[in-house]
């Protein structure tokens, strides 16, 4: 039976802990908030603390904290990690993480895999974590090499208990390029959209489209500011594309050009059908 270590017991780390504990694995956890770590143990999400006494026991370690914290933490525990253990991060950017962590893994003899579970909720924290959070979700992986069948088999086996529906293998660069569009842009647009003065009077006038567009405006500002800054180049590119596209709609409205506006809507509808 594998021993699992999880650093960071918020929504992601807590859900990983519960998923593995539900399958009977030994899970050790660390959180800088000692009360959360204690509650996780009382609720049987972990069997004990992830510390100098247990790090060396772990076959798998997840870093479920912000990117900078993940690097600092891994630097501090690297000498204690047993040889050939696998370490995954769960951060929303990969170039920064992989650049820092691949050399640590090589130096100390463990395996580092860049990871990004594509699941979450606007309700953060351990109290909102659940064992089925990742069920049928995609897990994006950035391995150190791309021609090691044995490593890929091992990754698939160790992640199986969590319930991921798909493992997506990619590079750090491709991950950050795509996440700028599929995740970070959504949070920026949602955050900007809710700043309309009309938002304060939306009740009675809003339905599903409003809820869909504003759901992720409720976010962890420290985390998302860090993620976006670490991916600023790709995110700026996406913002430029978006601003140009929105300007086309504004120009059509400003010139009262109904046919052009209709064409813009039809183009968007067609593209949505194609990408789905």
């Amino acid at each position: 039976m594998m021993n699992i270590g999880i650093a960071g017991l918020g929504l992601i780390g807590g859900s990983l802990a519960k998923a593995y504990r539900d399958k009977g694995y030994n899970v050790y956890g660390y959180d800088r908030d000692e009360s959360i770590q204690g509650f996780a143990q009382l609720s049987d999400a972990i069997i004990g603390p992830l510390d100098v006494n247990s790090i060396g026991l772990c076959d798998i370690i997840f870093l479920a904290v912000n990117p900078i914290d993940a690097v600092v933490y891994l630097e501090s525990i690297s000498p204690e990690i047993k040889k050939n253990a696998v370490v995954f991060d769960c951060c929303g950017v990969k170039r920064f993480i992989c650049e820092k962590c691949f050399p640590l893994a090589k130096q100390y003899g463990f395996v580092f895999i860049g990871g990004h579970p594509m699941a979450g909720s606007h309700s953060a924290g351990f109290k909102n974590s659940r064992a089925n959070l990742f069920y049928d979700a995609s897990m994006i992986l950035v391995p150190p090499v791309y021609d090691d069948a044995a490593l890929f088999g091992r990754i698939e086996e160790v992640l199986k208990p969590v319930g991921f529906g798909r493992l997506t293998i990619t590079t750090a660069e491709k991950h950050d390029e795509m996440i700028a569009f599929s995740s970070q842009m959504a949070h920026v647009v949602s955050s900007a959209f809710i700043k309309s003065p009309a938002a304060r009077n939306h009740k009675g006038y809003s339905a599903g489209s409003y809820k869909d567009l504003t759901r992720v405006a409720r976010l962890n500002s420290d985390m998302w500011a860090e993620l976006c800054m670490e991916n600023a180049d790709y995110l700026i590119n996406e913002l430029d594309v978006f601003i140009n596209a929105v300007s086309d709609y504004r120009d059509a409205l400003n010139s009262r050009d109904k046919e052009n506006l209709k064409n813009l809507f039809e183009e968007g509808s067609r593209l949505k059908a194609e990408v789905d």
Side-chain angles (χ1 to χ4, degrees):
M1 183 64 71
M2 290 187 301
N3 294 317
I4 312 296
I6 300 174
L9 296 171
L11 176 67
I12 299 299
S15 295
L16 285 169
K18 291 176 180 179
Y20 278 107
R21 283 298 289 151
D22 270 9
K23 298 296 190 299
Y25 291 88
N26 297 323
V27 179
Y28 300 91
Y30 163 76
D31 196 278
R32 61 185 176 185
D33 186 332
E34 293 183 0
S35 66
I36 292 176
Q37 184 174 310
F39 184 74
Q41 187 164 349
L42 284 172
S43 63
D44 196 40
I46 63 174
I47 65 169
L50 182 65
D51 56 20
V52 291
N53 297 312
S54 59
I55 289 170
L57 301 175
C58 293
D59 304 288
I60 309 296
I61 297 176
F62 291 93
L63 309 177
V65 293
N66 291 359
I68 293 174
D69 293 337
V71 172
V72 171
Y73 181 76
L74 187 58
E75 288 173 339
S76 72
I77 69 167
S78 285
E80 310 299 329
I81 299 174
K82 72 178 183 179
K83 303 299 182 184
N84 295 318
V86 179
V87 178
F88 298 88
D89 81 286
C90 298
C91 301
V93 291
K94 293 276 80 75
R95 285 176 295 172
F96 170 77
I97 289 287
C98 291
E99 179 184 348
K100 300 293 185 181
C101 296
F102 282 148
L104 285 171
K106 185 176 182 179
Q107 179 181 352
Y108 290 99
F110 58 89
V111 178
F112 179 79
I113 309 290
H116 187 183
M118 298 306 294
S121 169
H122 64 271
S123 299
F126 180 81
K127 65 181 179 180
N128 294 300
S129 63
R130 61 184 192 274
N132 65 350
L133 179 67
F134 307 107
Y135 180 74
D136 212 28
S138 175
M139 175 64 157
I140 304 175
L141 300 167
V142 179
V145 295
Y146 294 86
D147 58 355
D148 189 337
L151 175 60
F152 292 153
R154 187 181 179 195
I155 291 170
E156 187 174 16
E157 185 65 24
V158 300
L159 292 177
K160 190 175 181 180
V162 182
F164 290 111
R166 176 176 181 171
L167 302 181
T168 300
I169 309 295
T170 189
T171 64
E173 291 75 15
K174 187 63 176 179
H175 169 278
D176 287 359
E177 178 185 9
M178 293 304 300
I179 289 300
F181 168 73
S182 67
S183 179
Q184 293 168 353
M185 266 294 293
H187 287 77
V188 170
V189 170
S190 184
S191 180
F193 179 79
I194 200 66
K195 292 176 182 177
S196 168
R200 297 186 179 277
N201 301 308
H202 80 88
K203 292 183 179 179
Y205 297 90
S206 58
S209 56
Y210 169 85
K211 292 177 182 178
D212 290 344
L213 190 51
T214 60
R215 180 180 64 83
V216 294
R218 294 178 59 187
L219 46 70
N220 179 325
S221 57
D222 285 339
M223 181 186 76
W224 280 100
E226 182 177 335
L227 292 174
C228 291
M229 281 297 179
E230 292 295 345
N231 207 29
D233 51 351
Y234 283 129
L235 184 53
I236 288 171
N237 288 341
E238 290 298 336
L239 278 167
D240 287 343
V241 171
F242 181 76
I243 290 168
N244 288 335
V246 170
S247 294
D248 289 340
Y249 290 83
R250 190 188 188 285
D251 291 344
L253 289 165
N254 191 52
S255 61
R256 304 301 192 267
D257 189 342
K258 180 181 177 181
E259 191 62 28
N260 187 22
L261 184 60
K262 176 186 173 183
N263 290 336
L264 290 170
F265 281 134
E266 287 180 346
E267 180 186 28
S269 182
R270 184 178 69 255
L271 288 171
K272 171 63 175 171
E274 288 177 3
V275 300
D276 287 350

